[in-house]
Amino acid sequence: MGASRVRGRDGRAPLLGIIALVILALLLVQVPTVAASVKVLRSGPSAKGGVALTFDDGWGESSCSRIARTLRDSGAVGTFFINGIHLRAEPDRWRRILRGMPVANHTRSHPFLTNLSAKRIRNQIRTNGWIHKEVLGRPMLKILRPPCGAYDSQVLRVAGQLGYRHVVLWSRSAADTSPAATVTSIIRHATGGKPGDIILMHCARSITADALPTIIRHYQRRGIKLIGLDKMFGLG
């Protein structure tokens, strides 16, 4: 009687419960979470031999146009993280600006993603991808740069669910949005890079466009190529 009460009515219930717990434990140990599969990167492999100049935002269209033109004229490449609200406002102009340049995701309207619900994070990332494809006729790189570099586990989880495997920040900043920024200070901050470094700049103020020719010449004289993040990370 005592043994029968321990086993339960059919003698199998405790055994099935133990098996279920074992299976659950194995799944938790062996199956990585979506968030864990998203890599947060601040630099690339030095073996690629290049430095990546990256340009965020896009609220200064005329400066962005000068930046892209300078890159093309110099045989250099930059990666652009433009918010979709700017592309949608002037699609023809942005189509010309971004011709041939790699583009990646910086959200539609530049909110702090850590302040948003999962639904709104998803909308910001996904809508920006749709806008870029509609305006440029090509998909953007599956790279996310959260505005201001702000992310948490929820941001990573949503990005992973949308197919992003790389959240790319930066290893050096040109500090070109600082109120104290000058052409000289931008050049000083942006020219200290080594192969594998990712330089944060912005597609905004005219002083960034003014500083760029000197920055490009600096790296080219050192024999360092200025490459896109697609080449740096081997992405299509």
Side-chain angles (χ1 to χ4, degrees):
M1 289 292 292
S4 176
R5 283 196 297 270
V6 171
R7 288 196 304 269
R9 291 181 179 178
D10 59 6
R12 293 176 298 172
L15 179 60
L16 291 174
I18 292 170
I19 292 172
L21 288 173
V22 170
I23 292 172
L24 178 60
L26 289 172
L27 287 172
L28 290 173
V29 170
Q30 294 179 1
V31 178
T33 65
V34 172
S37 68
V38 180
K39 295 181 180 179
V40 179
L41 303 170
R42 296 180 181 274
S43 61
S46 59
K48 294 290 183 180
V51 164
L53 300 181
T54 63
F55 301 90
D56 285 11
D57 299 354
W59 47 266
E61 288 90 348
S62 60
S63 296
C64 236
S65 182
R66 289 176 56 204
I67 287 169
R69 185 166 58 249
T70 298
L71 289 167
R72 290 191 189 93
D73 291 347
S74 304
V77 176
T79 302
F80 289 79
F81 289 88
I82 307 300
N83 304 121
I85 54 172
H86 304 303
L87 270 72
R88 183 158 279 173
E90 295 192 66
D92 292 337
R93 188 174 189 184
W94 280 106
R95 200 174 294 115
R96 292 191 297 270
I97 291 171
L98 298 175
R99 175 178 51 84
M101 293 290 169
V103 295
N105 208 320
H106 197 46
T107 73
R108 182 185 63 82
S109 62
H110 206 273
F112 275 90
L113 294 182
T114 52
N115 293 339
L116 303 184
S117 66
K119 181 179 179 180
R120 292 178 65 193
I121 294 169
R122 185 175 295 106
N123 182 64
Q124 280 284 335
I125 297 171
R126 186 157 42 186
T127 303
N128 196 42
W130 291 340
I131 292 171
H132 274 70
K133 189 168 185 179
E134 175 187 325
V135 171
L136 304 180
R138 57 185 166 102
M140 57 170 50
L141 299 174
K142 279 290 188 178
I143 290 175
L144 174 67
R145 173 172 286 171
C148 303
Y151 70 93
D152 57 18
S153 60
Q154 178 172 250
V155 172
L156 298 182
R157 182 172 63 254
V158 172
Q161 290 168 349
L162 293 174
Y164 287 80
R165 293 295 173 262
H166 298 85
V167 167
V168 175
L169 305 180
W170 54 89
S171 51
R172 301 184 66 88
S173 172
D176 54 344
T177 56
S178 166
T182 64
V183 171
T184 301
S185 71
I186 292 170
I187 292 170
R188 183 175 69 253
H189 288 302
T191 53
K194 59 187 183 302
D197 273 340
I198 298 170
I199 313 296
L200 171 66
M201 304 176 78
H202 291 82
C203 212
R205 302 173 68 186
S206 61
I207 53 176
T208 302
D210 293 339
L212 186 59
T214 301
I215 294 168
I216 292 174
R217 286 196 297 271
H218 167 84
Y219 286 108
Q220 290 179 337
R221 282 198 298 265
R222 291 170 59 193
I224 296 175
K225 292 182 179 180
L226 296 172
I227 62 176
L229 290 177
D230 51 343
K231 185 172 182 179
M232 179 170 278
F233 294 115
L235 302 175

